[in-house]
Amino acid sequence: MRPNVLEASAPAAIKAPARTILTIAGLEKTFDDFTALHGIDLHVQDGEFLTIVGPSGSGKTTLIRLLVGMETPTSGSIWLRDQRIDELPPNKRPTCMVFQSLALFPHRTVGENIEFPLKIRGTPAAERKARALELLTLLRLPPDYYSKRIQQCSGGERQRVALARALAFDPEILFFDEPLSALDYRLRKTLEKELKDLHARTGKTFIYITHSLEEAMVMSDRIAIMRAGRFEQIATPDEIYARPVSRFVAGFMGEVNLFDVTADGTDMAGSGLVIRPGLAAETGLKGPGTLVVRPEAVRFLDFGEAADFQIQGVLHAEYALGSRLQYEIDLADDRKGTVEVLREQRITGKPGTDVRLGWDLSSCHLIKGA
Ligand code: ATP
Protein backbone atom coordinates (compact mmCIF):
# COMPACT_ATOMS: atom_id res chain seq x y z
CA MET A 1 0.00 0.00 0.00
CA ARG A 2 1.32 3.43 -0.86
CA PRO A 3 0.87 6.00 1.94
CA ASN A 4 -1.92 8.58 1.43
CA VAL A 5 -0.33 11.25 3.53
CA LEU A 6 3.03 12.53 2.43
CA GLU A 7 5.67 12.24 5.12
CA ALA A 8 6.67 15.56 6.68
CA SER A 9 10.40 15.10 6.30
CA ALA A 10 12.87 12.66 4.76
CA PRO A 11 13.54 9.61 6.97
CA ALA A 12 16.86 9.83 8.80
CA ALA A 13 18.30 7.01 6.72
CA ILE A 14 18.02 9.04 3.54
CA LYS A 15 18.68 12.46 5.07
CA ALA A 16 21.40 14.10 3.09
CA PRO A 17 23.84 16.98 3.58
CA ALA A 18 22.29 20.47 3.86
CA ARG A 19 23.04 21.47 0.26
CA THR A 20 21.04 18.57 -1.16
CA ILE A 21 18.09 19.78 -3.20
CA LEU A 22 16.83 16.44 -4.52
CA THR A 23 16.97 13.00 -2.95
CA ILE A 24 16.00 9.80 -4.71
CA ALA A 25 15.70 6.82 -2.38
CA GLY A 26 15.19 3.22 -3.48
CA LEU A 27 13.32 4.33 -6.60
CA GLU A 28 11.88 1.42 -8.54
CA LYS A 29 9.67 1.37 -11.62
CA THR A 30 8.19 -1.71 -13.20
CA PHE A 31 6.05 -1.96 -16.32
CA ASP A 32 4.09 -5.26 -16.12
CA ASP A 33 6.86 -7.78 -15.49
CA PHE A 34 9.72 -5.54 -16.76
CA THR A 35 11.78 -3.55 -14.24
CA ALA A 36 12.98 -0.30 -15.82
CA LEU A 37 14.55 1.11 -12.61
CA HIS A 38 15.97 -1.15 -9.89
CA GLY A 39 15.71 0.76 -6.60
CA ILE A 40 18.13 3.58 -7.36
CA ASP A 41 19.51 6.16 -4.88
CA LEU A 42 20.85 9.61 -5.70
CA HIS A 43 21.49 12.96 -3.98
CA VAL A 44 21.61 16.04 -6.19
CA GLN A 45 23.31 19.14 -4.77
CA ASP A 46 21.73 22.59 -4.93
CA GLY A 47 23.10 24.41 -7.99
CA GLU A 48 24.67 21.30 -9.47
CA PHE A 49 24.75 20.40 -13.18
CA LEU A 50 24.13 16.66 -13.10
CA THR A 51 23.96 14.68 -16.32
CA ILE A 52 22.49 11.20 -16.58
CA VAL A 53 24.09 9.29 -19.44
CA GLY A 54 23.21 5.85 -20.71
CA PRO A 55 22.49 3.83 -23.82
CA SER A 56 19.02 3.50 -25.29
CA GLY A 57 16.66 1.68 -22.93
CA SER A 58 18.80 2.15 -19.80
CA GLY A 59 16.00 4.01 -17.99
CA LYS A 60 16.95 7.70 -18.33
CA THR A 61 13.58 8.93 -19.58
CA THR A 62 11.71 6.78 -17.07
CA LEU A 63 13.72 8.41 -14.28
CA ILE A 64 13.03 11.94 -15.53
CA ARG A 65 9.33 11.14 -15.96
CA LEU A 66 9.20 10.00 -12.33
CA LEU A 67 11.04 13.11 -11.17
CA VAL A 68 8.67 15.52 -12.92
CA GLY A 69 5.55 13.56 -11.99
CA MET A 70 4.56 12.12 -15.37
CA GLU A 71 4.83 8.60 -13.89
CA THR A 72 4.44 7.25 -10.36
CA PRO A 73 7.11 5.00 -8.85
CA THR A 74 6.39 1.36 -8.07
CA SER A 75 8.33 1.88 -4.84
CA GLY A 76 10.82 4.28 -3.29
CA SER A 77 10.56 8.01 -2.75
CA ILE A 78 11.61 11.40 -4.17
CA TRP A 79 12.33 14.38 -1.94
CA LEU A 80 12.69 18.04 -2.77
CA ARG A 81 14.77 19.22 0.16
CA ASP A 82 12.63 17.95 3.08
CA GLN A 83 9.37 17.55 1.19
CA ARG A 84 8.32 14.24 -0.26
CA ILE A 85 7.08 14.92 -3.81
CA ASP A 86 6.67 11.56 -5.55
CA GLU A 87 2.91 11.55 -5.07
CA LEU A 88 2.38 15.15 -6.10
CA PRO A 89 0.98 15.75 -9.61
CA PRO A 90 3.29 17.61 -12.04
CA ASN A 91 1.53 20.97 -11.62
CA LYS A 92 2.04 20.75 -7.85
CA ARG A 93 5.80 20.44 -8.34
CA PRO A 94 6.45 24.08 -9.09
CA THR A 95 10.19 23.70 -8.89
CA CYS A 96 10.33 21.24 -11.78
CA MET A 97 10.13 22.20 -15.43
CA VAL A 98 10.83 20.13 -18.47
CA PHE A 99 12.65 21.92 -21.23
CA GLN A 100 11.16 20.95 -24.59
CA SER A 101 12.09 23.11 -27.54
CA LEU A 102 9.62 21.29 -29.80
CA ALA A 103 6.68 22.33 -27.68
CA LEU A 104 6.95 26.02 -28.65
CA PHE A 105 3.91 27.57 -30.38
CA PRO A 106 5.24 28.25 -33.90
CA HIS A 107 2.64 30.88 -34.90
CA ARG A 108 3.02 32.91 -31.74
CA THR A 109 5.71 35.44 -30.93
CA VAL A 110 8.82 34.81 -28.87
CA GLY A 111 7.34 37.00 -26.11
CA GLU A 112 4.04 35.08 -26.06
CA ASN A 113 5.91 31.80 -25.84
CA ILE A 114 8.11 32.91 -22.96
CA GLU A 115 5.17 34.42 -21.11
CA PHE A 116 2.90 31.39 -21.59
CA PRO A 117 3.60 29.70 -18.21
CA LEU A 118 3.23 33.05 -16.43
CA LYS A 119 -0.09 33.73 -18.17
CA ILE A 120 -1.45 30.38 -16.97
CA ARG A 121 -0.51 31.41 -13.46
CA GLY A 122 -2.36 34.72 -13.80
CA THR A 123 0.70 36.99 -13.69
CA PRO A 124 -0.30 40.57 -14.81
CA ALA A 125 0.66 41.52 -18.40
CA ALA A 126 3.19 44.24 -17.51
CA GLU A 127 5.01 41.94 -15.10
CA ARG A 128 5.03 39.15 -17.69
CA LYS A 129 6.56 41.37 -20.33
CA ALA A 130 9.22 42.67 -17.95
CA ARG A 131 10.18 39.11 -17.06
CA ALA A 132 10.23 38.05 -20.75
CA LEU A 133 12.58 40.92 -21.63
CA GLU A 134 14.81 40.06 -18.68
CA LEU A 135 14.98 36.46 -19.88
CA LEU A 136 15.79 37.53 -23.47
CA THR A 137 18.79 39.41 -22.08
CA LEU A 138 19.80 36.43 -19.96
CA LEU A 139 19.67 34.19 -23.04
CA ARG A 140 21.57 36.78 -25.10
CA LEU A 141 18.73 37.42 -27.56
CA PRO A 142 18.10 41.05 -28.66
CA PRO A 143 15.01 42.73 -27.10
CA ASP A 144 13.32 43.14 -30.52
CA TYR A 145 12.98 39.35 -30.66
CA TYR A 146 10.11 39.83 -28.23
CA SER A 147 7.75 40.45 -31.19
CA LYS A 148 9.38 38.02 -33.64
CA ARG A 149 7.45 34.87 -34.55
CA ILE A 150 8.92 31.49 -33.64
CA GLN A 151 8.73 30.50 -37.33
CA GLN A 152 11.20 33.32 -38.09
CA CYS A 153 13.75 32.05 -35.56
CA SER A 154 16.67 29.74 -36.32
CA GLY A 155 17.06 26.35 -34.60
CA GLY A 156 19.52 27.77 -32.07
CA GLU A 157 17.30 30.77 -31.32
CA ARG A 158 14.33 28.46 -30.76
CA GLN A 159 16.36 26.49 -28.22
CA ARG A 160 17.14 29.73 -26.41
CA VAL A 161 13.45 30.76 -26.42
CA ALA A 162 12.51 27.35 -25.03
CA LEU A 163 15.08 27.80 -22.28
CA ALA A 164 13.77 31.27 -21.51
CA ARG A 165 10.26 29.83 -21.23
CA ALA A 166 11.46 27.08 -18.89
CA LEU A 167 13.16 29.73 -16.74
CA ALA A 168 10.08 32.00 -16.71
CA PHE A 169 8.68 30.20 -13.65
CA ASP A 170 11.97 30.71 -11.85
CA PRO A 171 12.17 26.97 -11.13
CA GLU A 172 14.78 25.67 -8.73
CA ILE A 173 15.48 22.59 -10.85
CA LEU A 174 15.42 22.39 -14.64
CA PHE A 175 15.14 19.00 -16.31
CA PHE A 176 16.44 18.51 -19.83
CA ASP A 177 15.55 15.46 -21.90
CA GLU A 178 18.05 15.28 -24.80
CA PRO A 179 17.32 18.85 -25.92
CA LEU A 180 20.18 19.02 -28.43
CA SER A 181 19.95 15.59 -30.03
CA ALA A 182 18.13 16.76 -33.18
CA LEU A 183 20.53 19.64 -33.92
CA ASP A 184 23.47 19.64 -36.27
CA TYR A 185 26.95 19.15 -34.84
CA ARG A 186 28.15 22.76 -34.81
CA LEU A 187 24.98 24.17 -33.28
CA ARG A 188 25.02 21.41 -30.67
CA LYS A 189 28.59 22.27 -29.70
CA THR A 190 27.71 25.98 -29.38
CA LEU A 191 24.62 25.30 -27.30
CA GLU A 192 26.48 22.89 -24.99
CA LYS A 193 28.76 25.76 -24.05
CA GLU A 194 25.85 28.19 -23.77
CA LEU A 195 24.02 25.81 -21.43
CA LYS A 196 27.05 25.49 -19.21
CA ASP A 197 27.38 29.27 -19.18
CA LEU A 198 23.66 29.72 -18.46
CA HIS A 199 23.94 27.27 -15.60
CA ALA A 200 26.75 29.32 -14.08
CA ARG A 201 24.85 32.59 -14.53
CA THR A 202 21.54 31.37 -13.05
CA GLY A 203 22.91 29.20 -10.22
CA LYS A 204 19.98 26.77 -10.80
CA THR A 205 20.14 23.01 -10.50
CA PHE A 206 20.23 21.38 -13.93
CA ILE A 207 19.44 17.70 -14.45
CA TYR A 208 20.17 16.69 -18.01
CA ILE A 209 19.88 13.40 -19.85
CA THR A 210 21.76 12.37 -22.96
CA HIS A 211 23.16 9.38 -24.85
CA SER A 212 26.43 11.21 -25.30
CA LEU A 213 29.14 11.03 -22.65
CA GLU A 214 31.09 13.54 -24.73
CA GLU A 215 28.24 16.05 -24.37
CA ALA A 216 28.01 15.29 -20.65
CA MET A 217 31.74 15.88 -20.22
CA VAL A 218 31.51 19.42 -21.61
CA MET A 219 28.78 20.65 -19.30
CA SER A 220 28.47 18.66 -16.11
CA ASP A 221 29.68 18.97 -12.54
CA ARG A 222 28.87 15.27 -12.10
CA ILE A 223 27.83 12.48 -14.41
CA ALA A 224 25.67 9.48 -13.50
CA ILE A 225 26.15 6.59 -15.92
CA MET A 226 23.07 4.37 -16.24
CA ARG A 227 23.03 0.79 -17.35
CA ALA A 228 19.92 -1.41 -17.42
CA GLY A 229 18.04 0.58 -14.77
CA ARG A 230 20.93 1.10 -12.35
CA PHE A 231 23.69 3.64 -11.83
CA GLU A 232 27.00 2.11 -12.85
CA GLN A 233 29.12 5.11 -11.75
CA ILE A 234 28.37 8.59 -10.39
CA ALA A 235 31.39 10.88 -10.42
CA THR A 236 32.95 14.05 -11.83
CA PRO A 237 33.84 14.07 -15.56
CA ASP A 238 37.56 13.88 -14.70
CA GLU A 239 37.04 10.87 -12.46
CA ILE A 240 34.94 9.05 -15.05
CA TYR A 241 37.50 9.78 -17.75
CA ALA A 242 40.53 8.79 -15.68
CA ARG A 243 39.10 6.08 -13.43
CA PRO A 244 36.11 4.29 -14.96
CA VAL A 245 34.77 1.59 -12.63
CA SER A 246 33.95 -0.93 -15.34
CA ARG A 247 34.59 -1.87 -18.95
CA PHE A 248 31.09 -0.58 -19.71
CA VAL A 249 31.94 2.94 -18.48
CA ALA A 250 35.43 2.85 -20.05
CA GLY A 251 34.01 1.91 -23.42
CA PHE A 252 31.19 4.42 -23.30
CA MET A 253 33.32 7.32 -24.41
CA GLY A 254 34.58 6.52 -27.87
CA GLU A 255 37.69 4.50 -28.56
CA VAL A 256 39.58 2.94 -25.70
CA ASN A 257 42.24 0.21 -25.45
CA LEU A 258 41.47 -2.57 -22.98
CA PHE A 259 43.91 -5.30 -21.89
CA ASP A 260 43.30 -8.15 -19.48
CA VAL A 261 45.80 -8.25 -16.62
CA THR A 262 46.30 -11.49 -14.71
CA ALA A 263 46.60 -11.97 -10.95
CA ASP A 264 50.41 -11.70 -11.01
CA GLY A 265 50.41 -8.42 -12.94
CA THR A 266 51.36 -9.77 -16.35
CA ASP A 267 49.35 -9.86 -19.54
CA MET A 268 46.95 -12.60 -20.54
CA ALA A 269 48.46 -15.14 -22.87
CA GLY A 270 48.21 -14.04 -26.45
CA SER A 271 47.64 -10.29 -26.07
CA GLY A 272 51.37 -9.63 -26.54
CA LEU A 273 51.44 -6.89 -23.88
CA VAL A 274 54.85 -6.56 -22.24
CA ILE A 275 55.02 -4.97 -18.81
CA ARG A 276 58.34 -3.49 -17.64
CA PRO A 277 60.08 -6.09 -15.45
CA GLY A 278 59.66 -5.31 -11.78
CA LEU A 279 56.82 -2.79 -12.37
CA ALA A 280 54.16 -5.07 -10.90
CA ALA A 281 56.26 -5.75 -7.79
CA GLU A 282 57.27 -2.07 -7.34
CA THR A 283 53.80 -0.61 -7.71
CA GLY A 284 51.51 -3.40 -6.51
CA LEU A 285 49.93 -3.51 -9.96
CA LYS A 286 48.17 -6.79 -10.25
CA GLY A 287 44.95 -8.23 -11.50
CA PRO A 288 42.81 -9.86 -12.22
CA GLY A 289 41.56 -6.81 -13.97
CA THR A 290 41.35 -4.73 -17.10
CA LEU A 291 43.92 -2.12 -18.03
CA VAL A 292 42.27 0.95 -19.61
CA VAL A 293 44.45 3.01 -21.94
CA ARG A 294 43.07 6.03 -23.80
CA PRO A 295 44.30 6.34 -27.41
CA GLU A 296 45.94 9.71 -26.70
CA ALA A 297 48.05 8.13 -23.93
CA VAL A 298 49.65 5.70 -26.38
CA ARG A 299 52.78 6.70 -28.34
CA PHE A 300 54.75 5.12 -31.15
CA LEU A 301 58.06 3.99 -29.68
CA ASP A 302 61.30 4.72 -31.55
CA PHE A 303 63.94 2.02 -31.89
CA GLY A 304 65.39 1.31 -28.42
CA GLU A 305 62.84 3.53 -26.64
CA ALA A 306 61.21 1.96 -23.58
CA ALA A 307 57.90 2.45 -21.76
CA ASP A 308 56.17 0.83 -18.77
CA PHE A 309 53.90 -1.03 -21.17
CA GLN A 310 54.80 -2.05 -24.71
CA ILE A 311 53.07 -3.95 -27.46
CA GLN A 312 53.96 -4.84 -31.06
CA GLY A 313 51.56 -4.35 -33.91
CA VAL A 314 51.08 -3.59 -37.58
CA LEU A 315 49.76 -0.23 -38.81
CA HIS A 316 46.33 -0.81 -40.32
CA ALA A 317 44.96 2.67 -41.15
CA GLU A 318 45.13 6.39 -40.43
CA TYR A 319 42.01 8.51 -39.91
CA ALA A 320 41.93 12.33 -39.74
CA LEU A 321 39.91 13.70 -36.80
CA GLY A 322 40.20 17.46 -37.19
CA SER A 323 43.27 18.56 -35.26
CA ARG A 324 44.18 14.97 -34.36
CA LEU A 325 45.03 11.80 -36.23
CA GLN A 326 43.84 8.38 -35.20
CA TYR A 327 45.74 5.20 -36.06
CA GLU A 328 44.26 1.73 -36.02
CA ILE A 329 46.80 -0.98 -35.24
CA ASP A 330 46.44 -4.73 -35.76
CA LEU A 331 47.58 -6.57 -32.63
CA ALA A 332 48.01 -10.27 -31.90
CA ASP A 333 44.91 -12.48 -31.75
CA ASP A 334 42.93 -10.33 -34.23
CA ARG A 335 42.74 -7.53 -31.68
CA LYS A 336 42.81 -3.84 -32.58
CA GLY A 337 44.65 -1.02 -30.87
CA THR A 338 43.97 2.70 -31.25
CA VAL A 339 46.45 5.56 -31.04
CA GLU A 340 45.66 9.27 -31.28
CA VAL A 341 48.25 11.98 -31.89
CA LEU A 342 48.27 15.65 -32.86
CA ARG A 343 48.54 16.29 -36.60
CA GLU A 344 52.10 17.55 -36.16
CA GLN A 345 53.03 14.11 -34.82
CA ARG A 346 51.97 12.24 -37.97
CA ILE A 347 54.05 9.11 -38.49
CA THR A 348 55.74 8.32 -41.78
CA GLY A 349 54.90 4.59 -41.90
CA LYS A 350 52.41 3.19 -44.42
CA PRO A 351 49.74 0.56 -43.67
CA GLY A 352 51.47 -2.79 -43.20
CA THR A 353 54.46 -1.28 -41.35
CA ASP A 354 55.50 -2.93 -38.07
CA VAL A 355 55.10 -0.56 -35.12
CA ARG A 356 55.81 -0.69 -31.41
CA LEU A 357 53.38 1.09 -29.08
CA GLY A 358 54.07 2.18 -25.53
CA TRP A 359 52.56 4.07 -22.59
CA ASP A 360 53.35 4.70 -18.97
CA LEU A 361 51.70 3.56 -15.79
CA SER A 362 50.64 7.12 -14.91
CA SER A 363 48.49 7.38 -18.04
CA CYS A 364 46.47 4.20 -17.65
CA HIS A 365 44.02 2.81 -15.13
CA LEU A 366 43.40 -0.70 -13.82
CA ILE A 367 39.80 -1.79 -13.28
CA LYS A 368 39.98 -4.50 -10.66
CA GLY A 369 37.95 -7.66 -11.11
CA ALA A 370 37.94 -10.58 -13.46
P1 ATP B 1 16.27 6.22 -24.90
O1 ATP B 1 17.63 6.81 -24.76
O2 ATP B 1 16.13 5.34 -26.08
O3 ATP B 1 15.18 7.25 -24.78
P2 ATP B 1 16.03 5.54 -22.11
O4 ATP B 1 17.34 5.27 -21.44
O5 ATP B 1 15.42 6.87 -21.89
O6 ATP B 1 16.14 5.21 -23.65
P3 ATP B 1 13.55 4.49 -21.11
O7 ATP B 1 12.69 5.19 -22.12
O8 ATP B 1 13.53 5.03 -19.74
O9 ATP B 1 15.05 4.38 -21.61
O10 ATP B 1 13.13 2.96 -21.09
C1 ATP B 1 13.71 2.03 -20.20
C2 ATP B 1 13.08 0.69 -20.43
O11 ATP B 1 11.73 0.71 -19.97
C3 ATP B 1 13.02 0.29 -21.91
O12 ATP B 1 13.31 -1.09 -22.03
C4 ATP B 1 11.59 0.59 -22.30
O13 ATP B 1 11.15 -0.30 -23.30
C5 ATP B 1 10.84 0.34 -21.01
N1 ATP B 1 9.63 1.18 -20.91
C6 ATP B 1 9.62 2.53 -20.83
N2 ATP B 1 8.35 2.98 -20.75
C7 ATP B 1 7.55 1.88 -20.80
C8 ATP B 1 6.12 1.69 -20.76
N3 ATP B 1 5.28 2.72 -20.64
N4 ATP B 1 5.67 0.41 -20.83
C9 ATP B 1 6.53 -0.63 -20.93
N5 ATP B 1 7.88 -0.52 -20.96
C10 ATP B 1 8.38 0.73 -20.91
Side-chain angles (χ1 to χ4, degrees), residues 315-343:
L315 184 59
H316 180 83
E318 177 192 279
Y319 305 103
L321 312 175
S323 61
R324 305 181 74 84
L325 296 170
Q326 188 181 84
Y327 292 96
E328 195 174 289
I329 314 294
D330 292 327
L331 302 175
D333 268 3
D334 280 339
R335 292 157 51 107
K336 297 274 183 215
T338 310
V339 184
E340 258 181 54
V341 299
L342 293 172
R343 243 169 210 283

Side-chain angles (χ1 to χ4, degrees), residues 24-28 37-42 63 77 226 229-231:
I24 296 168
L27 202 62
E28 186 168 314
L37 292 177
H38 296 267
I40 57 172
D41 301 312
L42 179 70
L63 175 57
S77 56
M226 276 198 105
R230 293 189 170 87
F231 289 126

